[in-house]
Amino acid sequence: MIKYKCFRGEIMKLPNIKILDEKDKLLRTKSKEVIFPLSKEDKKNIEDMITYLKMSQIPEYEEEYNLRAGMGLAYVQIGIPKRIFVIVEELDDGSFKDYILINPKIISHSEEEIFVGEGEGCLSVNREIEGIVPRYARITVESQDLEGNTFTIRVREDISVAFQHELDHLDGILFVDKIDPKNPYKNASKYREI
């Protein structure tokens, strides 16, 4: 019998969410600012997105439900163009750290730029893509939490990349848009690989 990692002491149940494919025109729209208070539906969708991402990072669930591993989802990817995204980071001890950002915006960034060596991926892009996507190594983001309270967060390296990837979704941009199709590794020496 397979032993599954538990979430809040329970076996996890795959949420009923549909992730849009890159061909869907809705992914190209600019998401709208969120008005508080959040609806029960919005809170449930955010919880479902987090559960989905956790399950996609747990090998047993990934295999059972044929999931692609993902660490971030923007609200527009489930068909709702509002300025919300979530990131689920698996920590070294196997636990998860959740980031929920509502109406986020970058307020400062490093000069240094980086790229993910094995390439970025996206749960809405179901094909292999080669090439580099330059991202800031460190960013500070101002956002709101589930209650509408404003906070700032500074992230670096892979989490900075994930934040910028999801922020792009909120503006209708996919990571593939940032790769030069004629020269996918253009200017690679200008950036640090992570």
Side-chain angles (χ1 to χ4, degrees):
M1 181 178 148
I2 299 173
K3 290 192 173 156
Y4 296 107
K5 288 185 184 177
C6 293
F7 178 56
R8 296 187 187 144
E10 299 171 14
I11 297 292
M12 295 167 82
K13 182 176 183 297
L14 190 67
N16 185 24
I17 59 173
K18 182 182 184 310
I19 298 171
L20 300 182
D21 183 78
E22 67 178 308
K23 295 178 190 79
D24 196 302
K25 288 184 172 60
L26 188 61
L27 288 175
R28 296 310 191 158
T29 60
K30 189 171 170 94
S31 294
K32 295 191 173 15
E33 290 280 315
V34 175
I35 308 295
F36 287 90
L38 290 181
S39 68
K40 282 184 181 168
E41 182 186 3
D42 282 336
K43 287 181 179 177
K44 169 87 168 72
N45 286 336
I46 290 167
E47 193 175 301
D48 284 351
M49 289 164 62
I50 289 169
T51 300
Y52 184 95
L53 290 170
K54 285 180 181 173
M55 290 180 76
S56 81
Q57 294 181 53
I58 297 171
E60 295 88 350
Y61 287 123
E62 192 181 343
E63 189 178 324
E64 181 178 348
Y65 294 106
N66 194 27
L67 303 175
R68 284 176 52 223
M71 70 183 296
L73 266 176
Y75 217 51
V76 68
Q77 287 179 274
I78 64 165
I80 307 165
K82 291 184 181 177
R83 299 189 77 78
I84 300 173
F85 74 77
V86 300
I87 302 284
V88 174
E89 176 188 17
E90 185 170 9
L91 304 175
D92 293 338
D93 66 1
S95 66
F96 294 98
K97 179 172 183 176
D98 306 339
Y99 301 87
I100 300 167
L101 285 91
I102 303 172
N103 299 327
K105 52 182 168 284
I106 295 175
I107 55 172
S108 70
H109 61 78
S110 62
E111 284 187 30
E112 182 188 22
E113 291 183 275
I114 57 177
F115 70 94
V116 178
E118 69 254 16
E120 284 187 33
C122 178
L123 292 174
S124 290
V125 178
N126 297 300
R127 59 192 170 104
E128 287 294 316
I129 305 284
E130 287 200 10
I132 63 166
V133 181
R135 304 284 191 188
Y136 299 117
R138 294 167 301 285
I139 58 171
T140 302
V141 175
E142 183 178 273
S143 183
Q144 288 170 287
D145 65 16
L146 290 167
E147 282 71 52
N149 301 308
T150 300
F151 67 94
T152 57
I153 181 170
R154 186 159 171 78
V155 290
R156 54 194 309 271
E157 305 291 313
D158 56 336
I159 300 301
S160 175
V161 168
F163 272 43
Q164 290 169 79
H165 178 110
E166 301 308 330
L167 279 157
D168 279 348
H169 273 301
L170 303 184
D171 291 325
I173 300 165
L174 298 179
F175 82 96
V176 296
D177 302 340
K178 295 183 174 256
I179 298 171
D180 184 332
K182 292 189 181 77
N183 184 3
Y185 294 94
K186 183 178 175 180
N187 297 328
S189 60
K190 286 174 57 178
Y191 317 113
R192 178 167 56 84
E193 181 179 342
I194 62 165

